[in-house]
Amino acid sequence: MKVTKAGAKHSQLPKAEGFAQKNSAEHEEYAGVYSPAKITETGNTNANESEERLLERIVSNHNLNEAFKRVKANKGSHGIDGMKVDELLQYLKENGETLKQAILDGKYRPNPVRRVEIPKENGKKRNLGIPTVVDRVVQQAIAQALTPIYEKQFSENSFGFRPKRSAHDAIRKSQSNIQEGHTYVVDMDLKGFSDINFGQNQAVCVL
């Protein structure tokens, strides 16, 4: 397993109103953004090569249509506004241009998520936040535009939540590593990370 250098120089994040952002207990200082040269394994650290007119690409008709199709296919429950996936198309027909302009003007604000509890196998419950269906379309549209930019920076040994990669691929890679003579396994988990209740305006970055 490749271990990246720690302690890279960082720059201070702008503090969100009402929410100071701090590192873990070991570091009593405000959180920063670490240099991508220290955290990427592919050697490709140019995240700006495709940033030109990024917002325009996000709100393009083609990109938003693809985002709508993904949200519709995924179905899922409603958000705090009660709008269901089946009502989404008509809403976008009537309000799509207003939504696009709000994003371009920097005035778009997502709604708070609806909190639900999901039972876990150990008898405990996991908190889950469900965005509104409109916000899910916007999130999907953003992901579709950003993924081609940052995807190439990930390590070839990374399989979690990546396009065309699955747990089965990770198992096959592990089997290959074993056959090559590797004998150590490192298991890391951000335990309970999804259960943390972050402030509405708080930005969180996991490196």
Side-chain angles (χ1 to χ4, degrees):
M1 185 183 84
K2 187 172 181 179
V3 180
T4 55
K5 292 182 180 180
K9 185 182 293 186
H10 64 274
S11 58
Q12 185 167 312
L13 286 172
K15 184 165 55 176
E17 183 178 354
F19 295 97
Q21 300 163 350
K22 287 192 175 183
N23 282 332
S24 59
E26 290 86 352
H27 305 283
E28 288 298 322
E29 56 181 310
Y30 290 111
V33 179
Y34 285 80
S35 167
K38 299 293 185 180
I39 60 174
T40 60
E41 296 188 9
T42 63
N44 187 337
T45 59
N46 184 7
N48 300 316
E49 59 179 333
S50 301
E51 71 177 4
E52 185 178 357
R53 302 185 66 84
L54 184 57
L55 278 180
E56 285 80 359
R57 282 191 280 127
I58 289 174
V59 300
S60 68
N61 289 337
H62 174 74
N63 193 51
L64 285 175
N65 285 337
E66 291 301 312
F68 163 74
K69 292 176 183 178
R70 288 291 300 274
V71 171
K72 183 178 179 180
N74 290 337
K75 298 181 181 180
S77 185
H78 61 83
I80 63 166
D81 61 356
M83 184 186 299
K84 299 178 181 179
V85 174
D86 293 339
E87 304 172 79
L88 182 56
L89 180 59
Q90 185 61 36
Y91 177 88
L92 292 176
K93 286 181 178 179
E94 297 175 356
N95 302 277
E97 291 303 317
T98 301
L99 177 64
K100 288 163 61 174
Q101 195 60 49
I103 294 173
L104 291 172
D105 293 341
K107 297 179 180 180
Y108 165 77
R109 295 293 182 273
N111 290 285
V113 298
R114 182 168 68 92
R115 177 63 58 87
V116 297
E117 292 183 336
I118 305 298
K120 300 172 69 173
E121 292 181 357
N122 59 8
K124 296 182 180 180
K125 294 183 178 180
R126 179 170 65 90
N127 291 325
L128 180 67
I130 303 178
T132 66
V133 292
V134 174
D135 288 337
R136 296 210 292 271
V137 169
V138 176
Q139 292 170 6
Q140 180 62 37
I142 293 171
Q144 290 170 177
L146 292 182
T147 297
I149 299 174
Y150 62 69
E151 171 65 20
K152 63 185 70 174
Q153 299 184 41
F154 282 101
S155 165
E156 285 300 313
N157 295 306
S158 172
F159 295 92
F161 302 99
R162 294 182 63 189
K164 299 180 181 179
R165 287 173 175 248
S166 67
H168 296 290
D169 295 318
I171 292 173
R172 281 190 286 269
K173 179 63 175 178
S174 299
Q175 291 172 333
S176 174
N177 289 340
I178 292 171
Q179 293 171 359
E180 292 175 1
H182 298 284
T183 57
Y184 289 91
V185 175
V186 179
D187 183 17
M188 293 179 290
D189 184 23
L190 293 172
K191 184 178 181 182
F193 179 79
S194 60
D195 297 337
I196 300 175
N197 183 19
F198 295 107
Q200 181 178 346
N201 296 323
Q202 192 170 16
V204 180
C205 181
V206 181
L207 302 177

